[in-house]
Amino acid sequence: MEGTAVPLDDNAVLNPAVGHYYFAPTTGQPLPDDITAPAEPWADFGHTSLDDPFGITTDGGETETLGTWQNKNLRNTTSPRVESVTFALQQWDESAYRAFWGANATTAEAAGRTVVQVPSVPQELEGALFVLVRDGANGMFFHFPRVSIARADDIEFDAEELAGLPVRATVLGMSGQEWTYQVGTLAALSTPPGS
């Protein structure tokens, strides 16, 4: 409302201390009934990077002003916007390998262990993504019904840091649905942090 001051609300700030990434292998997966412990088909991606825990990047969305001979600034048009969630998987397991190296990666037995064979033409991992962010007893979430996950950057090992697999989850639209993702409001969670 114009002219109305917004009150300070000390409980409406967020310190994203702990978070979890959950992936479902089917697109259009609805919000989990229990956001603090999503049940199947949601599966936790495990450990992710503390340095860059969560980010949403945007490509496109530029505004161009269109005009006529009579009115040079008649109307604005905005190009389509493509958003992506970026994070680094730090749990070196098969689900992380498929997210980074391709959904069509195959496995074989060699040297007494399972090995993942990296495809020459990787297919992106498509499904749904749910991100729970905790701040003490409070939390909020992001729900992406349809994403396509692929490698975001190169692998770099540093002996003084935990190694990770940087991935990018491109947010895709669902036919017949006018929104691409949901953001939950900051509120109390039903279970204590760390559970």
Side-chain angles (χ1 to χ4, degrees):
M1 223 183 257
E2 192 174 326
T4 303
V6 177
L8 295 177
D9 184 351
D10 294 345
N11 295 315
V13 297
L14 176 68
N15 176 13
V18 178
H20 291 271
Y21 284 87
Y22 297 91
F23 178 75
T26 51
T27 60
Q29 190 64 39
L31 273 169
D33 292 331
D34 181 356
I35 64 168
T36 62
E40 287 187 22
W42 295 103
D44 197 328
F45 259 131
H47 292 288
T48 57
S49 173
L50 181 60
D51 292 334
D52 296 304
F54 179 84
I56 295 181
T57 58
T58 302
D59 287 325
E62 292 86 10
T63 299
E64 180 183 357
T65 302
L66 305 176
T68 65
W69 204 11
Q70 291 74 30
N71 184 345
K72 305 283 192 255
N73 303 314
L74 180 64
R75 181 179 299 164
N76 278 351
T77 181
T78 304
S79 66
R81 185 176 355 127
V82 178
E83 294 183 290
S84 299
V85 178
T86 55
F87 55 106
L89 300 167
Q90 290 189 303
Q91 199 158 299
W92 291 69
D93 56 20
E94 193 172 326
S95 66
Y97 288 4
R98 289 188 189 282
F100 184 80
W101 277 296
N104 57 332
T106 55
T107 57
E109 296 300 318
R113 67 183 64 206
T114 301
V115 296
V116 174
Q117 298 171 326
V118 178
S120 56
V121 182
Q123 294 175 359
E124 295 194 1
L125 180 65
E126 194 166 314
L129 187 67
F130 177 75
V131 184
L132 175 65
V133 182
R134 290 180 174 274
D135 179 1
N138 295 326
M140 53 90 64
F141 63 81
F142 295 85
H143 171 232
F144 306 90
R146 185 174 178 222
V147 296
S148 189
I149 302 176
R151 176 190 311 209
D153 206 346
D154 298 332
I155 299 174
E156 293 183 11
F157 283 176
D158 182 333
E160 297 180 357
E161 296 181 3
L162 294 173
L165 298 168
V167 294
R168 166 194 37 77
T170 302
V171 181
L172 303 175
M174 300 277 296
S175 295
Q177 182 171 288
E178 294 192 14
W179 53 273
T180 53
Y181 62 95
Q182 302 179 88
V183 182
T185 55
L186 183 61
L189 295 172
S190 58
T191 56
S195 59

